């Protein structure tokens, strides 16, 4: 179910980017895409609540990205005059 919601969200948002569609249809697609994105987020959170050991994966990825970004920022700040 989660994959279907995510695919529906991406299809709606991709179709929203098409400029040839009327504004009313683009607005409906945007609203559907945002709602399905929220539902997908709730599904992911409920899945992580049911399997708490899996929460370590996004936490580790986030901390790794934060460390990499901080290190990159320090090296660019120290090299600039």
């Amino acid at each position: 179910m989660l994959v279907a919601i995510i695919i529906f969200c991406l299809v709606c948002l991709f179709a929203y980017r098409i400029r040839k569609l009327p504004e009313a249809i683009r607005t409906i697609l945007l609203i559907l895409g945002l709602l399905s994105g929220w539902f997908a987020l709730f599904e992911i959170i409920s899945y992580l609540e049911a399997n708490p050991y899996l929460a370590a994966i996004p936490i580790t990825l986030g901390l790794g990205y934060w460390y990499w970004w901080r290190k990159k920022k320090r090296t660019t700040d120290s090299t600039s005059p």
Side-chain angles (χ1 to χ4, degrees):
M1 182 70 176
L2 176 64
V3 176
I5 292 174
I6 292 173
I7 290 172
F8 180 73
C9 175
L10 293 176
V11 167
C12 285
L13 293 177
F14 179 74
Y16 171 76
R17 299 290 296 170
I18 299 172
R19 301 279 183 209
K20 297 176 184 175
L21 294 174
E23 281 298 315
I25 293 176
R26 291 183 72 214
T27 303
I28 292 170
L29 285 172
L30 179 64
I31 291 170
L32 287 175
L34 292 175
L35 285 175
S36 60
W38 275 107
F39 290 145
L41 183 65
F42 293 145
E43 288 277 337
I44 290 170
I45 290 171
S46 68
Y47 189 74
L48 288 176
E49 285 178 352
N51 305 305
Y53 55 89
L54 292 177
I57 296 170
I59 291 172
T60 305
L61 290 174
L63 287 173
Y65 176 76
W66 172 76
Y67 178 75
W68 171 80
W69 178 78
R70 186 177 62 141
K71 189 175 179 182
K72 181 181 173 186
K73 187 176 178 184
R74 283 186 181 174
T75 57
T76 56
D77 288 343
S78 64
T79 58
S80 62

